[in-house]
Amino acid sequence: MSPKDRNLPGGQSVLGAASAAAPQQPVLTPLIGRPVVGASAEGHEDQEQEQRTAREHRPGRSRGGKRPPPTASDAVPTTVRFDPEEASELDFFVLELRDDAGRRNLDKSEVIREVLRLAREDEPTKKKLLKRLR
């Protein structure tokens, strides 16, 4: 297809730069945040600022928890069986935790390990667990 067929002025490429001229530097746009669907622009900036502030002041670890997950060769496999409805609820809960934690990846095994560590280390949590198990 020729430039004439594309309705371009002579000597220009599809990208709009003159073929004989030096390539132009790309123009970077400022970071504008996440797109908002179904909401007005009012109040969105305040909400976004609050989220940024919460993330900046929140102590945390890059992988979460106190210990990294075991390597495949060191891991002891444990199976937990759920009925289909409870499995779906668990999946949604883990996704919610991932979003709330501001993490890109979070799997169920990591969540289960941390819940068990929390129950071992935090006495009120351990008591609540014992109460449910009785």
Side-chain angles (χ1 to χ4, degrees):
M1 192 178 254
S2 70
K4 188 175 183 180
D5 295 335
R6 293 188 191 131
N7 198 20
L8 296 174
Q12 287 194 351
S13 72
V14 178
L15 300 176
S19 57
Q24 295 177 347
Q25 291 291 337
V27 178
L28 301 176
T29 57
L31 179 63
I32 57 173
R34 291 183 172 181
V36 179
V37 179
S40 65
E42 294 178 21
H44 175 65
E45 295 165 357
D46 295 334
Q47 180 183 11
E48 192 172 298
Q49 180 62 31
E50 289 174 10
Q51 289 175 351
R52 264 192 247 122
T53 304
R55 277 191 222 123
E56 290 170 1
H57 298 294
R58 182 188 61 204
R61 299 169 183 85
S62 61
R63 289 284 303 162
K66 293 190 175 186
R67 289 185 274 176
T71 61
S73 61
D74 297 336
V76 177
T78 301
T79 302
V80 180
R81 299 191 185 274
F82 297 100
D83 61 49
E85 184 178 325
E86 194 173 19
S88 291
E89 290 173 5
L90 179 63
D91 289 340
F92 285 118
F93 180 66
V94 170
L95 288 173
E96 184 181 335
L97 285 174
R98 183 191 72 185
D99 290 343
D100 291 347
R103 299 217 1 217
R104 206 168 73 181
N105 295 321
L106 182 67
D107 60 24
K108 287 180 253 185
S109 63
E110 190 172 356
V111 171
I112 292 169
R113 276 194 306 272
E114 288 305 316
V115 167
L116 292 173
R117 286 182 189 135
L118 180 65
R120 287 193 313 251
E121 296 168 359
D122 187 51
E123 195 61 33
T125 305
K126 184 177 179 181
K127 287 180 180 179
K128 287 180 184 178
L129 178 61
L130 284 170
K131 187 175 182 179
R132 284 183 163 235
L133 294 173
R134 289 185 182 154

